[in-house]
Amino acid sequence: MASKKTAGAPSPGAPARTPLPGGRFAGSGSLAGQLVKIALLGLFTALGVWAVLPLYVAGSWWGIGLVVAVVGLVYWVYLSKRTVPVKYLVPGVLFLLTFQILPVLYTMSTSVTNLSDGHRGDKEQAIASIEAYSVSSPDGAQEYTLTVAVTGSPETGELVFLLTGPEGRAYAGTEEGLTELDGATVEPSGKVAEAFGYTILSPTQVNARSDELQAFAVPTGSGTGIRSSGLSTAFEGTATRAYDAGCDCITDAGTGIVYHADNERGAFYDEDGERLAQGWQVGVGFDNFARFLFNPTFASSFFSILVWNIAFAASVTFLVFVVGLAIALTLHVPRLRGRVVYRILVVLPYAMSSLAMFLLWRDMFNTDFGLFNRVLGLEVDWLGDAWSARAAVILANVWLGYPYMFLVATGALQAVPRELGQAAQIDGAGPWQAFRNVTLPLLMVAMTPILVSTFAFNFNNFNAVWLITQGGPFSPESPTAGATDLLITYTYRLAFNEATAQYGYAAALSVMIFLIVSVMSVVSLSRSKALKEVD
């Protein structure tokens, strides 16, 4: 009599499996799987090395330690047999931390500082910069061959002087001081042709940052520094402004003016309240938030933009919903011929580049050669008036957004049984009553989360405004807050598009945007859940 086979026992001749805690087994994995694992771990290691290099150049040892710890953790998780469940969580957690949690925390930490142009580094760096910027060229000053470079992007990276002394030795000069440059390739003329970790600027790129170049100086000691003299030469001179730790002040030898440190505001001020351009970063608490909430000048701009921002997001969301649903209902009729062709034509705007389409809409509203003025025979400055510019932005955004809502509504309609509407009509309901009382509630259960996400997206729809109007038109009373500005475009202008970038203030606005959208989304999604429970 054949023996009874025990459930879960391996069949004769089957390969042995590695026992895991709890009596479970895990297959050893195929050769292809092992090779894929090795390749992915190698790729992750390469990314870690790539991340470490700029951190090493910047001297950020805590950053290097963090990268090494993360790489080590990933190796431990994916090479250990005891961390099987964690293997599925690590990728999502890393992406969540990298692209969500860390940016939010960094923005929040920046929002309580005075970080801006002139308030980037610490107090020691500010003092060194002030002394270096006041350097003048005495007779017989030592000269260097200058090559202008940056760390990072040529447009926004930190300036660096790559200097070659008379003895042929190369140096790297930053706002923190002068260091010897090892491994640099120096041309016979003395210009540095290549240096690890630095991007050498072309003459065109240098000219684009000429104002920064003229103000840039490298501190080399007590009261001395190196400044540029043209694009190819730099000199070491003596500073006319000197810091005195005894009085915590800076004295200008040329004018005799004394500037005392204000450690709460992070700058040096004279007795008349005039400050030196270079300051340092300090914590300001909730001053940035109070600035746009309670300061009359900034509060009026903030609240007017907020009202328009909500109106813009709500109107666009409502219109794309109505238009998309109306077209979906029209093409949902079974007897309609060519429905596939019509649906393809309807979704064409959604398949096009939104960036190109926004630029096209901007040109269509142009006063001189725009399509609307040519067709209608008008000379209207559509984007020069506040209300017509707002209408133009809404119209362009609805045109680009309704195909998405049409697709969602079409899918939701497919899930609604036609028999429900027919039963309502048998009970005496008209077509509108059947739609309003039967079809629409069922659609809203599925579409409310989509409407919430659409509202949140349009609340921060940077491209729609920036590419068409750049936030304008602007009034003389409010040159920094335009009629079509959303909070996100207003924040961008303050942070990156003003003569003095206000990163701390812009970060505070970003935190406020985050809170507003979060609260609205939570309330709306709670309402969506209530609808589903009622249903």
Side-chain angles (χ1 to χ4, degrees):
M1 182 176 179
S3 60
K4 186 176 180 181
K5 186 177 179 180
T6 304
S11 59
R17 292 180 291 176
T18 305
L20 291 177
R24 299 176 62 188
F25 291 88
S28 59
S30 64
L31 177 61
Q34 296 296 328
L35 292 177
V36 170
K37 179 189 291 187
I38 293 173
L40 291 177
L41 288 176
L43 177 61
F44 190 78
T45 304
L47 290 175
V49 173
W50 173 77
V52 162
L53 292 178
L55 293 174
Y56 174 76
V57 173
S60 179
W61 300 109
W62 69 267
I64 295 175
L66 179 62
V67 172
V68 172
V70 171
V71 173
L73 175 65
V74 170
Y75 266 84
W76 176 73
V77 167
Y78 285 96
L79 295 180
S80 174
K81 296 179 180 179
R82 299 182 178 181
T83 56
V84 175
V86 183
K87 294 178 181 179
Y88 300 96
L89 297 176
V90 166
V93 171
L94 287 179
F95 277 104
L96 178 66
L97 290 174
T98 304
F99 298 108
Q100 295 290 335
I101 304 299
L102 290 180
V104 170
L105 293 178
Y106 179 75
T107 302
M108 289 182 173
S109 64
T110 303
S111 68
V112 293
T113 69
N114 66 341
L115 180 62
S116 60
D117 280 350
H119 294 274
R120 292 176 180 264
D122 55 26
K123 187 175 181 179
E124 288 72 20
Q125 292 174 334
I127 293 171
S129 297
I130 291 171
E131 292 179 339
Y133 290 166
S134 66
V135 169
S136 59
S137 176
D139 294 335
Q142 181 174 343
E143 293 189 349
Y144 297 85
T145 302
L146 171 65
T147 304
V148 183
V150 295
T151 54
S153 168
E155 292 77 19
T156 59
E158 297 290 337
L159 285 177
V160 179
F161 280 179
L162 302 183
L163 305 165
T164 306
E167 75 285 358
R169 185 172 298 176
Y171 303 89
T174 66
E175 291 183 341
E176 298 179 358
L178 194 66
T179 57
E180 191 167 345
L181 188 61
D182 297 324
T185 303
V186 182
E187 298 176 346
S189 62
K191 300 280 284 186
V192 176
E194 185 178 358
F196 175 75
Y198 302 102
T199 301
I200 296 175
L201 300 183
S202 66
T204 303
Q205 293 170 332
V206 173
N207 287 329
R209 303 184 64 172
S210 58
D211 292 340
E212 298 176 67
L213 182 64
Q214 292 176 4
F216 186 80
V218 180
T220 57
S222 178
T224 61
I226 299 174
R227 298 194 65 180
S228 64
S229 177
L231 301 182
S232 301
T233 307
F235 65 89
E236 184 173 7
T238 304
T240 59
R241 290 173 176 170
Y243 174 72
D244 184 355
C247 63
D248 196 14
C249 63
I250 288 180
T251 303
D252 191 320
T255 62
I257 299 176
V258 179
Y259 299 86
H260 292 274
D262 187 334
N263 293 311
E264 292 185 358
R265 291 188 287 178
F268 288 94
Y269 292 85
D270 65 11
E271 59 183 9
D272 296 327
E274 296 294 328
R275 56 157 290 182
L276 295 176
Q278 294 80 24
W280 59 95
Q281 184 177 340
V282 295
V284 296
F286 294 99
D287 288 354
N288 289 323
F289 294 90
R291 184 178 172 189
F292 63 75
L293 289 175
F294 304 113
N295 185 298
T297 302
F298 294 96
S300 60
S301 298
F302 171 76
F303 286 109
S304 62
I305 292 174
L306 176 61
V307 171
W308 155 244
N309 203 152
I310 296 174
F312 167 79
S315 60
V316 170
T317 302
F318 174 76
L319 290 174
V320 297
F321 170 71
V322 171
V323 175
L325 180 59
I327 298 176
L329 288 170
T330 302
L331 299 182
H332 190 60
V333 178
R335 298 187 302 274
L336 182 65
R337 294 183 178 181
R339 287 193 299 170
V340 175
V341 176
Y342 292 140
R343 286 172 175 170
I344 292 175
L345 294 176
V346 167
V347 300
L348 279 180
Y350 190 61
M352 298 177 182
S353 167
S354 61
L355 187 147
M357 291 301 101
F358 282 132
L359 294 177
L360 180 62
W361 276 92
R362 181 196 64 185
D363 292 340
M364 290 168 62
F365 286 110
N366 187 275
T367 305
D368 300 320
F369 55 82
L371 176 65
F372 291 106
N373 279 350
R374 284 193 173 188
V375 171
L376 301 176
L378 302 174
E379 294 184 0
V380 177
D381 185 6
W382 299 99
L383 303 182
D385 175 74
W387 289 105
S388 61
R390 289 169 177 168
V393 172
I394 291 175
L395 178 61
N397 214 40
V398 170
W399 184 82
L400 279 170
Y402 83 85
Y404 172 70
M405 199 61 65
F406 160 76
L407 292 175
V408 174
T410 299
L413 283 172
Q414 302 292 335
V416 177
R418 296 181 183 273
E419 291 79 5
L420 294 178
Q422 295 172 356
Q425 292 181 3
I426 292 174
D427 290 339
W432 168 248
Q433 291 177 318
F435 170 75
R436 184 170 63 87
N437 297 316
V438 178
T439 306
L440 185 59
L442 294 175
L443 288 176
M444 291 305 297
V445 172
M447 296 190 67
T448 298
I450 304 299
L451 293 174
V452 172
S453 63
T454 302
F455 177 87
F457 173 80
N458 284 297
F459 195 89
N460 290 320
N461 198 338
F462 178 87
N463 287 344
V465 171
W466 195 260
L467 295 177
I468 296 178
T469 65
Q470 290 194 341
F474 298 90
S475 64
E477 296 79 16
S478 183
T480 60
T484 59
D485 257 328
L486 305 181
L487 288 176
I488 190 68
T489 58
Y490 179 58
T491 301
Y492 175 81
R493 185 179 298 107
L494 291 175
F496 304 109
N497 211 44
E498 288 291 305
T500 303
Q502 306 175 61
Y503 301 114
Y505 183 51
L509 284 172
S510 299
V511 172
M512 182 59 65
I513 294 172
F514 171 75
L515 294 176
I516 292 172
V517 175
S518 298
V519 170
M520 290 184 175
S521 299
V522 169
V523 172
S524 300
L525 289 175
S526 299
R527 177 60 180 165
S528 172
K529 183 178 180 181
L531 285 173
K532 190 171 183 178
E533 290 175 350
V534 170
D535 177 65

